[in-house]
Amino acid sequence: MIKVENLTKSYGAVQALRQVSFEVKPGEIVGLLGPNGAGKTTTIKILTGYLHPDGGTVTIDGLDILTHTQEVQAQIGYLPENTPLYGDLSVQSYLKLMADLRNIPPERQNALISEAIHVTGLTEHRARQIGHLSKGLRQRVGLAQAILHQPKFLILDEPTVGLDPTQIVEIRRLIRRLASRSTILFSSHILSEVEAVCDRVIILINGEVKADAQLDELAATNNAILVLQKQANGAEQRLAQLEGVEKVEFFLNADGWPTYRIVSGQDICPAVYDLARQEGWPLRELRRDVVTLETVFNRLATAN
């Protein structure tokens, strides 16, 4: 488990983190989401032991990052936003260097290097110089070094930045596969990226945690969407009279069907169904409304 409690960090007059707290449980893929300058990279640098906080604590697998730095780092695979690769080395030679730096015993190195190369799809490129690889392949090399020692925890900072759409899809699939054996904290400012890969999201805005929830919990609302086969006279007024209804919005959906969004602070679907049946409305669809991660994010960002 990764446990972060009341982290604070300032750069001069700029306060980058303000009492940041969250947990990442074993087996989770958690997205650390926020706009540029929100404090994501600062948080990750503290978690990986490369930066000291002004206040607060970080424990990983029960060990404090400040007092057991090397022990914690030995359990972490870290992919920074700009991976420091050596362009004149081959993929195989670079991973051998990383294995030596991680003090992996020589008798285990070949097996672990081969496994990392296979998992990241670099088998055909193992003898090529890193400087001659595409950006997507170099990103795979960065991931290979991060998983080389088969860490319990993977911390990835903007792992798809600068990649083309095909490369992004490949990296997403790879991260999903890696989750079978590692707990993953994944930083991004790209909303679709977090939705595609993560189970849970932590939203940082101006150095503060503004949301921490499962993606489906963030998307859920008490509002209802009622779709009829044809417009019913007085439907908008009758829906507005239901107990707990705050607002009724009428529009035609993408298929042209008359649609009502019923805004309520409570689960209004049963009452809407009873009303539709009572009035004999030609019901086509009744469901709970959901909001996108983009909607939630923009709401939090503008409320700040």
Side-chain angles (χ1 to χ4, degrees):
M1 178 184 288
I2 299 173
K3 188 171 184 179
V4 176
E5 294 184 287
N6 301 318
L7 276 191
T8 60
K9 180 64 181 178
S10 295
Y11 300 101
V14 177
Q15 191 166 7
L17 298 179
R18 310 163 188 262
Q19 302 295 319
V20 168
S21 298
F22 61 85
E23 293 182 2
V24 182
K25 297 177 182 177
E28 282 191 304
I29 306 179
V30 175
L32 188 61
L33 177 64
N36 291 328
K40 303 186 302 298
T41 297
T42 295
T43 300
I44 282 178
K45 286 182 177 180
I46 292 173
L47 263 60
T48 50
Y50 292 101
L51 188 66
H52 279 206
D54 297 333
T57 60
V58 174
T59 56
I60 296 180
D61 214 20
L63 298 175
D64 189 303
I65 186 65
L66 294 181
T67 58
H68 297 81
T69 304
Q70 291 188 342
E71 293 171 72
V72 172
Q73 288 176 336
Q75 300 184 58
I76 292 175
Y78 176 38
L79 178 68
E81 183 175 354
N82 298 302
T83 310
L85 301 175
Y86 297 95
D88 57 338
L89 294 180
S90 68
V91 173
Q92 177 95 15
S93 299
Y94 171 73
L95 293 178
K96 174 67 169 67
L97 173 63
M98 294 298 104
D100 289 338
L101 291 174
R102 284 199 171 275
N103 294 318
I104 295 174
E107 63 273 13
R108 296 190 62 216
Q109 288 188 9
N110 285 340
L112 290 177
I113 290 171
S114 294
E115 171 72 4
I117 286 174
H118 172 72
V119 168
T120 53
L122 289 167
T123 302
E124 296 180 3
H125 308 281
R126 65 192 305 157
R128 292 181 61 189
Q129 278 190 324
I130 292 172
H132 295 163
L133 300 177
S134 68
K135 185 171 179 60
L137 288 173
R138 292 199 300 273
Q139 197 76 333
R140 286 172 177 265
V141 176
L143 275 170
Q145 67 79 24
I147 66 171
L148 180 61
H149 55 304
Q150 298 185 341
K152 287 184 180 180
F153 305 96
L154 266 179
I155 297 179
L156 312 176
D157 192 3
E158 304 281 1
T160 62
V161 67
L163 302 185
D164 65 36
T166 300
Q167 294 167 336
I168 287 172
V169 171
E170 291 173 350
I171 295 297
R172 284 178 185 171
R173 289 174 181 163
L174 177 55
I175 291 170
R176 275 289 182 190
R177 290 201 301 271
L178 294 173
S180 63
R181 65 186 186 194
S182 298
T183 299
I184 299 177
L185 180 65
F186 171 159
S187 160
S188 182
H189 66 279
I190 304 172
L191 303 178
S192 59
E193 205 63 34
V194 173
E195 285 183 307
V197 176
C198 301
D199 307 312
R200 186 174 127 234
V201 63
I202 297 165
I203 298 178
L204 272 183
I205 295 176
N206 289 339
E208 296 182 83
V209 175
K210 294 295 185 179
D212 181 353
Q214 299 290 327
L215 283 173
D216 55 358
E217 292 174 356
L218 279 177
T221 74
N222 286 314
N223 303 337
I225 295 292
L226 171 67
V227 183
L228 301 181
Q229 292 184 3
K230 63 180 181 180
Q231 195 164 350
N233 291 332
E236 193 169 339
Q237 292 75 19
R238 293 287 287 119
L239 289 166
Q241 291 169 1
L242 290 174
E243 184 179 352
V245 171
E246 300 169 7
K247 182 170 61 172
V248 178
E249 302 169 352
F250 172 77
F251 59 97
L252 297 178
N253 70 10
D255 296 319
W257 302 106
T259 304
Y260 302 84
R261 177 181 289 108
I262 302 103
V263 179
S264 175
Q266 62 193 46
D267 182 7
I268 200 68
C269 280
V272 172
Y273 175 77
D274 289 341
L275 178 63
R277 186 175 60 175
Q278 174 188 321
E279 297 290 329
W281 293 338
L283 182 64
R284 184 174 183 85
E285 180 184 2
L286 175 63
R287 58 177 171 81
R288 273 205 180 180
D289 192 17
V290 296
V291 295
T292 64
L293 182 58
E294 181 178 5
T295 300
V296 174
F297 182 82
N298 288 336
R299 185 185 301 153
L300 292 171
T302 54
N304 191 55

Coordinates of all heavy atoms in Angstrom, one line a residue, residues 29 43 48 111 132 158 167 177 239 270 275 293:
I29 N -5.0 0.4 -10.1 CA -4.4 1.3 -11.0 C -5.1 2.7 -10.7 O -6.3 2.8 -11.0 CB -4.7 1.0 -12.5 CG1 -4.2 -0.5 -12.8 CG2 -3.9 1.9 -13.4 CD1 -4.4 -0.9 -14.2
T43 N 4.4 15.6 -6.3 CA 3.9 14.4 -5.5 C 4.7 13.2 -5.9 O 5.2 12.4 -5.0 CB 2.4 14.2 -5.8 OG1 1.7 15.4 -5.4 CG2 1.9 13.0 -4.9
T48 N 8.8 8.9 -4.7 CA 9.9 8.1 -5.2 C 11.2 8.4 -4.5 O 12.3 7.9 -4.8 CB 10.1 8.2 -6.7 OG1 10.2 9.6 -7.0 CG2 9.0 7.6 -7.4
A111 N 17.7 -13.5 -17.2 CA 16.3 -13.9 -17.2 C 15.4 -12.7 -17.0 O 14.3 -12.5 -17.7 CB 16.0 -14.9 -16.0
H132 N 18.3 5.3 -32.1 CA 17.8 5.1 -33.5 C 16.3 4.6 -33.4 O 15.7 4.4 -34.4 CB 18.6 4.0 -34.2 CG 20.0 4.5 -34.5 ND1 21.0 3.6 -34.9 CD2 20.5 5.7 -34.5 CE1 22.1 4.3 -35.1 NE2 21.9 5.6 -34.9
E158 N 3.2 10.8 -16.7 CA 2.8 11.1 -18.1 C 3.4 10.1 -19.0 O 4.2 10.4 -19.9 CB 3.4 12.5 -18.4 CG 2.8 13.6 -17.5 CD 1.4 14.1 -17.8 OE1 0.8 13.5 -18.7 OE2 0.9 15.0 -17.1
Q167 N 0.7 4.5 -30.7 CA 1.6 4.3 -29.6 C 0.9 4.4 -28.3 O 1.2 3.6 -27.4 CB 2.8 5.2 -29.7 CG 3.7 5.0 -30.9 CD 4.6 6.2 -31.2 OE1 4.4 7.3 -30.7 NE2 5.7 5.9 -31.9
R177 N -1.6 -4.8 -18.7 CA -1.0 -6.1 -18.4 C -0.1 -6.0 -17.2 O 0.0 -7.0 -16.4 CB -0.1 -6.5 -19.6 CG -1.0 -6.9 -20.9 CD -0.2 -7.8 -21.8 NE 1.0 -7.1 -22.3 CZ 1.1 -6.4 -23.4 NH1 0.0 -6.1 -24.1 NH2 2.2 -5.8 -23.7
L239 N -43.4 16.3 -14.7 CA -42.2 15.8 -14.2 C -41.7 16.8 -13.1 O -41.1 16.4 -12.1 CB -41.1 15.6 -15.3 CG -41.3 14.4 -16.2 CD1 -40.5 14.6 -17.4 CD2 -41.1 13.1 -15.5
P270 N -37.5 5.7 -10.0 CA -38.7 5.0 -9.7 C -40.0 5.9 -9.8 O -41.0 5.4 -10.3 CB -38.5 4.5 -8.2 CG -37.1 4.4 -8.1 CD -36.5 5.5 -8.9
L275 N -44.8 7.6 -12.9 CA -45.6 8.7 -13.5 C -45.8 8.4 -15.0 O -46.9 8.6 -15.5 CB -44.8 10.0 -13.4 CG -45.4 11.2 -14.1 CD1 -46.8 11.5 -13.5 CD2 -44.5 12.5 -13.9
L293 N -15.9 12.2 -17.0 CA -14.8 12.7 -16.2 C -14.4 14.1 -16.6 O -14.1 14.9 -15.7 CB -13.5 11.8 -16.4 CG -12.3 12.1 -15.6 CD1 -12.6 12.1 -14.1 CD2 -11.2 11.1 -15.9

